[in-house]
Amino acid sequence: MSQKQEKFAATIGFFDGVHRGHRHLLEQLNAVARDRGLKSMAVTFPEHPRQILQSDYRPRLLLAPDTKVAMLEQSGIDLCFPLHFTCELAAMDARCFMQDFLQRKLGVQTLLVGHDHHFGHDINSTFEDYLTIGRAIDMEVIKADALLFEGTPISSSRIRRCLSEGDVERAALMLGYRYTISGQVIHGLKNGRKMGFPTANLGPYCEFMQIPADGVYCAIAHVDGLTRPAMVNIGYRPTFEGKARTIEAHLLDFDGDIYFRELTLEFMSFIRPERRFDSPAQLAGQLEEDRRSVELMVKEMYI
């Protein structure tokens, strides 16, 4: 049976991070679809809409686009529909989008609207406006409940703020998983190796990803099927007068060759801010303390 012949209960969103709030919305969508004998569908955008409208906009994503779609497909919904955002789409008003695209092209019969979601070129449209349009075109429109964390709805922007402040633990509580970035291991200046702390330099990582605040972190590293605790430094290496921001990971109890392999880092907790030391020897002493901190943290957490 073709997609047009089927009838759907649908929701729309960018779904960056596919966080706990998103999964709460998708659970509501599945329940609504079951109650009405419909299929469930999430309509999402592979690229951030502002990238199309503002050529110089650089989003800070929580998930790479292909990872986001894969997580949506694994969420229990019947269909994830990636909708490429265009200037033509941006020019549509809400009624045109709901009737011509959702209803006629995709077969959407019931629309579940997220608590803070807007569509159509009029960003001032309210849920009541969508409800009115729905009645006019015979589409059921339902408002979804938000999932609260510390009294406020979970959102991708809240998670980004936590990461930008180095609070990877609160970010993980809202995401429902540890924040993760991946990249290829490249050659660095080998300053860490000279001090007894060889590091894997991550890059080039996705230029659109949200990178946590500068500092030292306890993390879990995955490479070539191996999982190791890691001490991660993000920043400019001020002790060595660094000019470019880097992400370097020291994998505990490991000294293998992983150059040009993909390294994935799960951030567990923040250890300390990055700072300049008077000498490499002084930095090495601090790194030894950081390593002990990572070892203690890992013992207390389930990997």
Side-chain angles (χ1 to χ4, degrees):
M1 182 177 291
S2 70
Q3 180 181 299
K4 289 184 179 180
Q5 292 174 310
E6 291 182 315
K7 297 297 182 182
F8 289 92
T11 193
I12 310 161
F14 187 58
F15 297 109
D16 188 24
V18 193
H19 53 62
R20 289 178 55 219
H22 292 142
R23 295 197 289 279
H24 179 65
L25 172 64
L26 296 174
E27 287 170 3
Q28 294 175 71
L29 176 66
N30 281 329
V32 166
R34 282 195 305 271
D35 288 347
R36 289 153 179 76
L38 304 172
K39 298 279 190 177
S40 58
M41 173 170 56
V43 179
T44 191
F45 306 103
E47 56 283 304
H48 197 288
R50 280 182 63 186
Q51 285 178 265
I52 306 302
L53 301 175
Q54 298 171 234
S55 60
D56 60 344
Y57 177 68
R58 295 294 180 267
R60 291 293 175 256
L61 302 179
L62 302 175
L63 283 177
D66 55 345
T67 305
K68 176 181 75 174
V69 171
M71 287 183 67
L72 286 171
E73 290 175 340
Q74 295 163 10
S75 68
I77 60 173
D78 294 305
L79 177 66
C80 174
F81 187 90
L83 174 61
H84 290 283
F85 197 82
T86 63
C87 292
E88 291 76 17
L89 190 65
M92 283 187 179
D93 60 28
R95 176 164 182 153
C96 182
F97 181 71
M98 289 171 64
Q99 185 171 38
D100 295 347
F101 187 79
L102 294 180
Q103 189 178 58
R104 293 175 179 167
K105 290 188 178 180
L106 298 186
V108 175
Q109 188 168 304
T110 297
L111 179 64
L112 186 67
V113 180
H115 75 281
D116 61 349
H117 188 70
H118 300 275
F119 49 83
H121 63 70
D122 185 359
I123 61 173
N124 296 315
S125 293
T126 65
F127 172 75
E128 285 67 29
D129 293 324
Y130 304 143
L131 200 60
T132 299
I133 295 169
R135 293 193 189 102
I137 65 174
D138 196 26
M139 177 188 289
E140 182 183 24
V141 179
I142 303 172
K143 190 171 187 177
D145 294 328
L147 182 64
L148 305 184
F149 175 74
E150 297 177 346
T152 306
I154 293 175
S155 69
S156 301
S157 59
R158 282 187 73 193
I159 295 169
R160 290 189 203 100
R161 282 196 297 272
C162 283
L163 293 171
S164 69
E165 295 165 0
D167 195 347
V168 294
E169 293 181 82
R170 284 180 74 241
L173 290 173
M174 288 187 280
L175 283 166
Y177 57 88
R178 295 178 189 137
Y179 186 62
T180 301
I181 57 176
S182 299
Q184 188 182 69
V185 177
I186 62 172
H187 286 285
L189 299 177
K190 298 183 170 58
N191 289 318
R193 182 172 293 278
K194 295 171 186 174
M195 294 184 294
F197 294 89
T199 60
N201 291 264
L202 194 64
Y205 48 87
C206 177
E207 64 174 317
F208 296 131
M209 293 295 288
Q210 175 71 56
I211 304 302
D214 291 352
V216 179
Y217 296 84
C218 172
I220 300 300
H222 304 274
V223 60
D224 278 354
L226 175 77
T227 298
R228 297 301 307 151
M231 178 172 69
V232 177
N233 185 83
I234 299 176
Y236 292 85
R237 300 168 296 172
T239 303
F240 298 100
E241 307 296 338
K243 302 299 182 184
R245 195 180 193 211
T246 62
I247 301 174
E248 301 175 279
H250 171 69
L251 280 60
L252 274 60
D253 303 318
F254 177 78
D255 194 25
D257 182 355
I258 54 174
Y259 285 119
F260 311 115
R261 308 293 175 86
E262 181 168 293
L263 174 66
T264 298
L265 299 172
E266 291 182 56
F267 289 88
M268 296 175 70
S269 59
F270 181 81
I271 296 177
R272 63 172 176 85
E274 185 183 46
R275 58 175 285 247
R276 186 184 186 282
F277 292 86
D278 293 333
S279 68
Q282 189 181 49
L283 172 57
Q286 179 62 59
L287 291 176
E288 185 57 48
E289 290 184 25
D290 296 339
R291 177 160 58 187
R292 286 197 292 269
S293 295
V294 169
E295 289 172 341
L296 287 173
M297 290 176 184
V298 170
K299 284 181 180 179
E300 295 173 357
M301 297 183 182
Y302 175 75
I303 299 177

